[in-house]
Amino acid sequence: MSIARFSRRALRGAGASGLTLPLIPEAFSPAFAQGAGERTLRYGISMADIPQTTGQPDRGAGAYQFTGYTLYDPLVAWEMDVADRPGKLMPGLATSWESDPADRKRWIFKLRSGVKFHDGSDFDADAVIWNFEKVLNPQAPHFDNRQAAQVRPRLPSVATWRKIAAMTVEVTTKAVDSIFPYQMLWFLISSPAQYERLGRSWERFANEPSGTGPFRMGRLVPRASAELLRNTNYWNPARMAKVDRIVLVCAPEAVTRSNALLTGQVDLIETPAPDIVGRLRQSGARIMENITPHVWNYHLSLLEGSPWRDIRLRQAANLAIDRAGVVALMNGLAKPAVGVVDPSSPWFGNPSFKIRHDPAEARRLLSAAGFTPRNPLRTKFIVATGGSGQMLSMPINEFIQQSWREVGIEVEFVPVELEVLYTCWRQGASGELARNNNVTANNVAYVTSDPLYALIRFFHSNQIAPTGVNWSHYRDAEMDRLIETALNTFDEAEVDRLMAKVHEKAVNEALLVFVVHDTNPRALGRNVRGYTQAQHWFQDLTTLS
């Protein structure tokens, strides 16, 4: 795979001198017909392809803002129209949900009446059950493995589901799980009637999707663009789209994406190239960023034979990294990570192992384990070439690679497209991709917005891949006990206290290599009048104006 690389010096020079930077190829810059008075915005996104459009987006959490919460709705929604505080759970296609006090594994969802799919069919309990079957029952005639692969790891607690009444559904969990509603944020509802109308073909459905969301799909050009059209019959007046049309344009290279905004090929972009931020501001563009529950890190294999079973090496890998240097590489569009979550989180706790830049201590630990710069630890990591949430993936990886080399860790990278990295993540450290490439770490970055997504799915032994995304194959009885106790309490403050203990243990054992938190930056051209950036990886494109 050929990957265009731009050094920090080259980018700075291009930005300062006005040199011509790469443009989006003509085929990737569709000229959509725009009616009189119609308001259209073109959005340059960091993905190499349009995320899956059938109901469960691929390409990670960042994809939900593009083909998830635009075309579809979840039963339990997230508050995305506030920027000055974290959002919270709120009613979506379900107006309420509660755990049965007599049987805490039993959850009752009351559904919203009067909602229509884009094809005109009714949303009801039958549609919800059909969607559960679509992704969790391989024997169902409409089961779609591509969608299942995306959402099944996000619904680890679901055991059974059934219709109780026309607008009421029961979901049971495998064990008591007080934070289960957070999982339902990822479960989106597509139209059974549209699937039938299209000859029961998910391939055809991808081109003519039907959800209940605030946008309908227009033209779709794989690996190039997708057109989102305002759904004038949307059920939620508070989320009516403020523009008539949004054109998503694939532009995976940060420099290409940034130059497209400078030259007027697009109206806004995600993740601008840090060294071109100055030029963007000079052109009149606004740079928006916000607190984001996200961490850019490495998951280390703890399988037999992995060097990372030695805590001295895990600690050394953390201490060798100059996080301030990574933030500088990002031109300030990042924050140093000293754990999975930020110290402001109620789940941070008080770890005794302090994540910092201390190369002398890193060398001491490596030497004690038998490694030096002249006799380095040699290993391979699988990393993404780019994609939403991965920030400047290759430049950051190469910066860290040099930091490690200076203390006695020689890492060879296996760069892959983002969806391949996710596949390796789901397979785990013992999976085919990890084994075939002889890698001992995975570089997936991810959202950390709730206890499941930040901690539980990585550190409980029942989440070992491929069941969940405990990629490392970490097993610890005390960690399991802390997590299970939290899942069995419905006292939010007690859950926070227990999650802080989980996080302390994860940091003290240096189970991951922590690097930075993303600030989820966007650059908005002068043509964009308004946008609310939520403190989440979920974003609401209906707020664009």
Side-chain angles (χ1 to χ4, degrees):
M1 180 182 297
S2 176
I3 304 167
R5 289 189 171 85
F6 300 88
S7 70
R8 184 170 173 79
R9 180 178 297 173
L11 293 182
R12 187 185 299 112
S17 66
L19 294 176
T20 301
L21 297 172
L23 300 178
I24 296 177
E26 185 176 347
F28 287 69
S29 305
F32 290 90
Q34 182 170 329
E38 184 177 88
R39 177 81 171 137
T40 297
L41 290 176
R42 300 156 299 167
Y43 193 165
I45 68 174
S46 64
M47 298 182 177
D49 198 0
I50 298 298
Q52 199 161 262
T53 58
T54 45
Q56 298 298 155
D58 58 358
R59 300 178 181 273
Y64 273 67
Q65 66 187 300
F66 301 128
T67 61
Y69 287 154
T70 48
L71 303 173
Y72 301 95
D73 290 302
L75 299 184
V76 180
W78 189 257
E79 187 182 24
M80 297 183 289
D81 60 351
V82 293
D84 59 350
R85 60 169 174 80
K88 60 181 183 293
L89 296 177
M90 58 189 300
L93 292 177
T95 56
S96 67
W97 55 92
E98 63 178 349
S99 171
D100 183 351
D103 179 2
R104 286 300 193 179
K105 292 190 291 185
R106 182 174 180 263
W107 290 81
I108 304 300
F109 292 83
K110 298 287 188 179
L111 306 181
R112 190 177 299 278
S113 300
V115 176
K116 298 279 188 182
F117 288 102
H118 299 154
D119 57 85
S121 62
D122 292 328
F123 164 77
D124 56 18
D126 289 326
V128 174
I129 298 304
W130 185 89
N131 275 270
F132 272 117
E133 296 281 317
K134 173 189 75 174
V135 294
L136 296 179
N137 181 9
Q139 279 69 53
H142 60 291
F143 178 77
D144 182 14
N145 193 54
R146 289 190 65 196
Q147 292 186 70
Q150 302 305 319
V151 78
R152 189 169 50 227
R154 303 187 190 278
L155 301 171
S157 295
V158 176
T160 65
W161 49 91
R162 71 183 180 98
K163 171 184 173 181
I164 292 179
M167 302 303 290
T168 307
V169 169
E170 173 194 278
V171 179
T172 60
T173 55
K174 296 169 184 173
V176 176
D177 184 351
S178 61
I179 62 171
F180 170 64
Y182 285 99
Q183 295 180 30
M184 299 305 289
L185 292 166
W186 306 91
F187 177 61
L188 305 181
I189 307 297
S190 51
S191 168
Q194 181 77 338
Y195 178 77
E196 292 293 327
R197 188 181 75 79
L198 296 174
R200 301 181 177 181
S201 166
W202 285 117
E203 288 73 21
R204 293 182 64 189
F205 195 102
N207 288 296
E208 300 180 59
S210 177
T212 62
F215 291 92
R216 297 178 291 107
M217 178 66 79
R219 186 155 63 116
L220 172 65
V221 182
R223 302 193 75 81
S225 60
E227 186 182 39
L228 303 174
L229 308 176
R230 186 173 185 261
N231 177 12
T232 56
N233 297 314
Y234 188 49
W235 59 269
N236 184 359
R239 278 197 78 217
M240 289 294 290
K242 295 177 177 59
V243 297
D244 300 291
R245 186 188 311 250
I246 295 176
V247 182
L248 304 175
V249 182
C250 294
E253 290 289 344
V255 173
T256 302
R257 195 164 58 247
S258 302
N259 200 44
L261 181 58
L262 285 170
T263 55
Q265 294 182 83
V266 295
D267 300 298
L268 70 155
I269 61 171
E270 61 169 345
T271 320
D275 286 281
I276 305 179
V277 165
R279 275 185 75 189
L280 289 169
R281 286 195 169 111
Q282 290 170 9
S283 75
R286 286 178 292 149
I287 306 300
M288 293 188 69
E289 52 185 323
N290 206 345
I291 299 165
T292 304
H294 166 279
V295 65
W296 197 103
N297 58 190
Y298 299 92
H299 282 242
L300 305 172
S301 171
L302 298 176
L303 291 172
E304 192 68 40
S306 170
W308 306 115
R309 290 171 66 91
D310 187 332
I311 190 172
R312 296 171 298 182
L313 300 181
R314 301 198 301 269
Q315 290 178 336
N318 273 285
L319 295 172
I321 297 173
D322 177 8
R323 290 163 185 81
V326 175
V327 171
L329 180 68
M330 291 294 297
N331 206 4
L333 301 179
K335 181 179 180 181
V338 292
V340 179
V341 296
D342 188 79
S344 63
S345 169
W347 315 319
F348 187 81
N350 185 26
S352 57
F353 176 58
K354 304 301 181 184
I355 305 296
R356 62 196 187 279
H357 183 214
D358 190 343
E361 177 63 7
R363 290 189 191 95
R364 188 192 70 77
L365 289 165
L366 282 159
S367 177
F371 300 102
T372 66
R374 291 188 176 183
N375 177 39
L377 165 65
R378 297 183 185 276
T379 190
K380 294 169 71 175
F381 287 7
I382 189 167
V383 302
T385 55
S388 185
Q390 296 298 130
M391 306 171 74
L392 288 185
S393 183
M394 293 311 299
I396 294 175
N397 272 298
E398 289 165 357
F399 181 93
I400 294 169
Q401 183 183 46
Q402 180 58 36
S403 296
W404 282 333
R405 182 175 292 125
E406 291 169 2
V407 299
I409 303 173
E410 189 68 46
V411 174
E412 176 186 347
F413 291 133
V414 179
V416 297
E417 203 272 332
L418 181 58
E419 191 56 30
V420 177
L421 187 70
Y422 281 130
T423 299
C424 181
W425 197 38
R426 297 182 194 106
Q427 290 178 352
S430 67
E432 180 181 4
L433 279 167
R435 291 197 320 272
N436 289 351
N437 289 282
N438 196 30
V439 298
T440 65
N442 185 308
N443 178 223
V444 167
Y446 46 83
V447 64
T448 59
S449 56
D450 62 76
L452 172 67
Y453 267 69
L455 302 166
I456 296 170
R457 62 181 179 156
F458 305 122
F459 304 129
H460 196 289
S461 62
N462 71 7
Q463 292 296 303
I464 288 175
T467 302
V469 284
N470 179 344
W471 190 86
S472 304
H473 285 237
Y474 175 73
R475 299 175 186 270
D476 183 90
E478 175 61 12
M479 187 72 91
D480 285 354
R481 187 192 66 77
L482 287 168
I483 290 171
E484 287 161 12
T485 304
L487 294 177
N488 277 274
T489 181
F490 286 75
D491 180 332
E492 187 175 344
E494 180 64 6
V495 171
D496 287 348
R497 187 189 71 81
L498 290 162
M499 286 298 104
K501 293 295 183 184
V502 168
H503 187 257
E504 285 177 7
K505 187 171 173 60
V507 175
N508 288 341
E509 296 181 19
L511 296 178
L512 310 176
V513 178
F514 311 102
V515 184
V516 290
H517 300 298
D518 200 351
T519 59
N520 209 3
R522 285 162 175 73
L524 281 57
R526 286 178 290 185
N527 194 36
V528 180
R529 300 167 191 162
Y531 175 60
T532 300
Q533 182 162 337
Q535 294 185 18
H536 203 285
W537 215 249
F538 296 150
Q539 298 294 325
D540 189 354
L541 300 195
T542 71
T543 66
L544 282 167
S545 63

